[in-house]
Amino acid sequence: MSDYDAEIAFLGEWGRFQQKVFYLLCLTAIPNGFTGLSIVFLADTPAHRCVVPAHVNLSAAWRNSSIPLEEDQSHGGALVPSKCSRYKIDAMLSYSDRGLLPGVDVNLSHVPQESCLDGWEYDRSQYISTIASEWDLVCDDSWKKPMTSSVYFCGVLTGSFITGQLSDRYGRKIVLFLTIAIQTVFTFSQAFAPSWTVFCALFFVVGLAQISYYVSAFVLGTETLGPRVRTIFSTAGMCMFFGLGYMFLPLLAFFIRDWRKLLLCLALPGFLYVPLWWFVPESPRWLLSKGRIGDAEAIIRAAAKTNKIEPPSVIFSPLQKELASEKKRAHNICDLLRSRNIRWISITLWLVWNTVTIAYFALSLNTSNLHGNVYFNCFLSALVEMPAYAVSWVMFRWYSRRLSLFSTLFTGGLFLLLIQLIPADLIYFAITLEMIGKFAITTAFAVVYAYTAELYPTVLRNTAVGTCSMASRIGSITAPFFIYLRSYSISLPYILMGSLTVLSGLLSLLLPESYGMPLPETITHMQHFPGCCRRTPYSLTHIEEEEKAAEHTKNSSQN
């Protein structure tokens, strides 16, 4: 147990204060679930075909045969009406005026074709409208659909870059509530976007705010709660509430089939979080790291009062205050690369996070392409996450962090690789394998979040988690285009995702073990990368020893 944990142990693990912090912070994760994956329904492409203008005087036979047939690989090579071409209007008019019948008097394979010059008509049985049907994101513009998701994840990338440093400098609480407000306002504004370009610009800001407040809430809870509750919060807690939000998404989308009204509905819950400002405290660990010992003690004493416990007269020992003085030195993203040990931990985690996000978001976004009802498939994809988060807590509570991450990544990748071996007529068996793969990868996602928070010290924790999240967004930006590869080969996305996930699992074995270790408070407490130096939890690197010597010399000269 670290000095901080020992000195606040009198509060207990699960009093009213801890319960309040746990549930209120978990509640903030619900909008993340339905906002982050809302694009599944907002940008889904309904069945469509070229418009043949009503004023064109075609016979009924030629109007019914105006769309050529083509093979559809997603339906086993069956012939379906083309989505992006039609027979030339002039040619059909010529044949129609002469009374020739298509397929009888005229061989349709000899009739010239043209693109959808007059636009498209969309099937309205499933959606009233989506951004794909409103702005014709099909055929030559079909790349705009995955690009919409990628723009969102570019916002997430930017948010991951800035949120850690802002939160470490200005506090977890203020960044949390500021970014909740930003996401709410810009999601609301998206509902009135006049064009695809404006929609994407607003979506970028939504992504920036979404990851910012998730990471801030995650780190705030990790630092405020005790060791046992912290494990539940960082694995099952935040993730399960994210999963609840994800499960609400297909239910809302089922009843609200218009994308603008759906966005308005998704924005409203953000306004309900305003009162939480007066109930969620700042992180005492962060306050100590900034030398604000009085403010930290005030929060702990208020917590003791809430738990009906008499606090000691002195909460933080002189040693803790000395550590607080040490941690006042400004830290930034460069500290993640300064020493060899921390640098290798950071690079390894960045690669692992990148692969996990590719697989997780690609599988989540792929639900609209699976056989069957899109709403049920999305709900099923969300539902498998709930037991995955429960399993992640069990693993994190009783098993090695490193082996937990390896086993889930390796298993998930293996099941994705097996999908390509399933015959085309066993569709539901292939979906089952995909959901098992999603289960394992979701478990890995929950584990790697909590694992990363344990490896880094308080002075760098928010920056480290934010930077790992930032590095992983390269994967999430490319994830929509992994699904886009289905147009070339249905098996190709699964082969790529499965291979990368298996390799990432093997790479995770290079990370140090944090099971049973206290949370490090400073860089001097951070574990060394295995095999580089002494494998003690609190050994010093050469650079850190020099920093201490320089600080000591400076203090001596001032005295």
Side-chain angles (χ1 to χ4, degrees), residues 519-536:
L519 280 182
E521 299 289 342
T522 65
I523 292 178
T524 59
H525 290 168
M526 190 172 176
Q527 293 190 73
H528 282 199
F529 197 84
C532 291
C533 300
R534 300 189 308 274
R535 293 187 60 185
T536 55

Side-chain angles (χ1 to χ4, degrees), residues 304-362:
K305 183 178 179 180
T306 301
N307 289 356
K308 298 180 180 180
I309 295 173
E310 184 65 30
S313 56
V314 177
I315 296 178
F316 297 113
S317 66
L319 175 61
Q320 189 68 27
K321 294 178 180 180
E322 181 181 340
L323 286 173
S325 176
E326 177 191 343
K327 289 185 281 187
K328 285 175 68 177
R329 184 178 73 84
H331 293 279
N332 54 49
I333 194 172
C334 296
D335 289 294
L336 300 177
L337 300 171
R338 186 157 286 139
S339 70
R340 181 177 62 177
N341 306 315
I342 298 177
R343 179 167 60 248
W344 278 108
I345 291 175
S346 299
I347 291 173
T348 303
L349 282 172
W350 293 345
L351 293 173
V352 171
W353 276 67
N354 192 51
T355 303
V356 172
T357 52
I358 287 175
Y360 176 82
F361 284 107

